[in-house]
Amino acid sequence: MTNSIKSKLLLQEVGQFVDVCYGVLFNPVDTFQKQTEEYNKANSVNEFNKPMGLLSATLIVAFISLMAPLTNDALTQEANYAWLPLTLPVSAIMGIVSWVTMAAIIAALAFIFQRSSNIKSLLVCTALATLPWLFLGPLSLLKFSIFPAGQILFTFGLLGVWLWSVCLFCLAVTKAYQLPLLNGILLLFMPFAFTGIFFAWFSGFIQNMIYLF
């Protein structure tokens, strides 16, 4: 393969990556649907329209996980840059672990209710759902600016980014499992319900043990 062909393929992949990211932010329903359909095919006959790979999704999650420490240290005067070589890798690893863990929990719950999906599709779609956090950088400028209402605008902006990301996450799950939106939302809240039930059982057990002894 010549260098010119490699360059064209690289430019195509970069273009696809940018198109998918833009689509997730501004046309999420169709973009998630397309990613899921391509992953559910045994073999993608159209190489140009192949879905995003796990490597790209992992890099997205790692980069998003770095946004908070990077913006905070870059804009805070008393930041300790000596810790950056340690905090940045830890932040990236923790973000990736949280992403995979959440996807595994959702996949396990879906399996219980006999809903199957390509785990790669779920991982990629949920990784793309974190893209709104890219706006954390510009929002942080408001927090540390001399503008009087900067802190208030930062707070509302941060809340908006969080809600945007949660909505995208719900859409990602519903498209990955071909669920109605309400069922997808209920699936996401099930881990919290199970956690509450577990703590209720555990606290009841502790209370009974205290009464007995």
Side-chain angles (χ1 to χ4, degrees):
M1 185 180 294
T2 63
N3 291 332
S4 60
I5 296 178
K6 289 182 179 180
S7 300
K8 289 181 179 179
L9 291 176
L10 179 61
L11 289 175
Q12 285 182 353
E13 291 181 359
V14 172
Q16 292 172 33
F17 179 81
V18 173
D19 288 342
V20 170
C21 292
Y22 181 85
V24 167
L25 292 174
F26 303 106
N27 188 19
V29 176
D30 293 339
T31 304
F32 284 138
Q33 183 67 36
K34 182 178 178 181
Q35 290 293 305
T36 302
E37 289 175 353
E38 291 295 334
Y39 264 113
N40 289 337
K41 293 178 182 177
N43 293 299
S44 181
V45 296
N46 192 340
E47 186 70 14
F48 185 75
N49 290 326
K50 65 181 181 180
M52 181 178 291
L54 279 179
L55 178 59
S56 298
T58 304
L59 292 176
I60 289 175
V61 173
F63 183 76
I64 294 296
S65 302
L66 298 177
M67 289 299 297
L70 280 176
T71 53
N72 184 68
D73 288 341
L75 298 174
T76 306
Q77 293 180 353
E78 57 271 12
N80 190 353
Y81 295 102
W83 289 98
L84 277 181
L86 176 62
T87 57
L88 292 183
V90 170
S91 298
I93 292 173
M94 291 300 295
I96 293 172
V97 170
S98 300
W99 163 56
V100 174
T101 302
M102 179 64 77
I105 292 173
I106 293 172
L109 288 173
F111 177 77
I112 293 174
F113 294 99
Q114 298 181 346
R115 302 293 301 191
S116 60
S117 175
N118 190 316
I119 188 63
K120 290 183 179 180
S121 171
L122 178 63
L123 285 169
V124 169
C125 289
T126 51
L128 290 169
T130 64
L131 284 175
W133 289 105
L134 288 173
F135 295 97
L136 181 62
L139 285 174
S140 298
L141 295 175
L142 293 174
K143 178 181 178 181
F144 297 102
S145 68
I146 59 175
F147 189 60
Q151 182 65 46
I152 298 176
L153 292 175
F154 170 78
T155 302
F156 280 104
L158 192 62
L159 178 61
V161 167
W162 178 77
L163 289 174
W164 190 2
S165 182
V166 169
C167 291
L168 290 182
F169 198 93
C170 291
L171 280 175
V173 173
T174 56
K175 292 303 179 182
Y177 288 101
Q178 299 300 311
L179 294 170
L181 182 59
L182 180 59
N183 291 6
I185 294 174
L186 291 175
L187 180 63
L188 288 177
F189 279 97
M190 278 183 182
F192 301 101
F194 290 157
T195 302
I197 294 172
F198 170 78
F199 279 111
W201 283 345
F202 185 73
S203 62
F205 170 75
I206 296 297
Q207 288 177 0
N208 290 333
M209 292 295 291
I210 292 174
Y211 291 146
L212 289 174
F213 291 97

